[in-house]
Amino acid sequence: MKKIVSFVLFLVLISMFSVCAIASDDADYIYTYINDGIEYTVDFSGSSISQDKHELIARRLVGLDNDDVRTYGLMCTLFGHNYEESTISVVTHKVYEYAPRCEDKIYEVKICSRCDHQEQTLMMTNYIDCCPED
C-alpha cells in the first residue's frame, strides 16, 4: 500500500513539473523588434503556426521584410498552397505622446507550410496603455 501511495505522489509531482515547464514557454512566442526607432512586440502566443515560421512572419508584419518575391516549391505550383492560419498580435510602442500610447493590431495570418508564401489581414486595432509617459 505504501508503494502505491508513493508511486501516485511521484506521478502527481511529475505532472506538476511538466505543467510548469509548459506554462513558462510563452516567452518563446514573443519577439521584439526596432525598426526606424519604433519598438514592436509580436506575440504568437496561442498560435498554431510552426515556430520556424515565426521570424519570417514577424519581420514582415513590422516592415523589416517588404519583399513580395517568394520562392514557391514544386508542390505549391502543382497542388496549390497548404495554409496554416492563426491570429497574431503586433504592439507598436509609444505611438502617441499621452495615454493610451501604444497601438495593438490583431492580424489574421495565413502562411504556406510548404513554401514562404504568406498573407496578412488586419482584423482589429486597439489602443492600449503599456508604456509610461516620458
Side-chain angles (χ1 to χ4, degrees), residues 5-133:
V5 172
S6 298
F7 183 72
V8 170
L9 286 175
F10 174 73
L11 290 177
V12 169
L13 286 173
I14 293 297
S15 65
M16 285 176 44
F17 287 123
S18 65
V19 169
C20 293
I22 292 170
S24 67
D25 285 343
D26 281 345
D28 293 340
Y29 300 106
I30 297 174
Y31 300 86
T32 302
Y33 294 93
I34 297 177
N35 184 16
D36 294 331
I38 300 171
E39 182 179 351
Y40 298 93
T41 303
V42 183
D43 187 0
F44 286 91
S45 299
S47 173
S48 61
I49 296 176
S50 61
Q51 196 169 4
D52 60 331
K53 301 273 187 175
H54 286 183
E55 180 81 20
L56 180 67
I57 294 169
R59 292 183 58 82
R60 181 126 188 231
L61 286 174
V62 301
L64 291 173
D65 184 14
N66 290 329
D67 186 20
D68 288 333
V69 178
R70 299 277 181 236
T71 58
Y72 282 21
L74 181 61
M75 294 291 288
C76 294
T77 304
L78 295 175
F79 302 111
H81 296 292
N82 183 24
Y83 286 114
E84 298 176 356
E85 296 182 28
S86 192
T87 304
I88 298 168
S89 170
V90 178
V91 176
T92 307
H93 296 279
K94 298 182 181 180
V95 174
Y96 302 106
E97 189 174 346
Y98 300 106
R101 296 186 73 188
C102 303
E103 190 174 65
D104 183 16
K105 293 184 177 182
I106 309 296
Y107 289 93
E108 180 185 51
V109 175
K110 296 185 340 183
I111 188 162
C112 181
S113 61
R114 299 179 211 161
C115 69
D116 292 341
H117 184 263
Q118 60 182 299
E119 298 175 5
Q120 297 92 5
T121 305
L122 179 62
M123 302 301 287
M124 181 185 339
T125 302
N126 297 317
Y127 299 98
I128 60 175
D129 190 18
C130 69
C131 296
E133 294 179 10

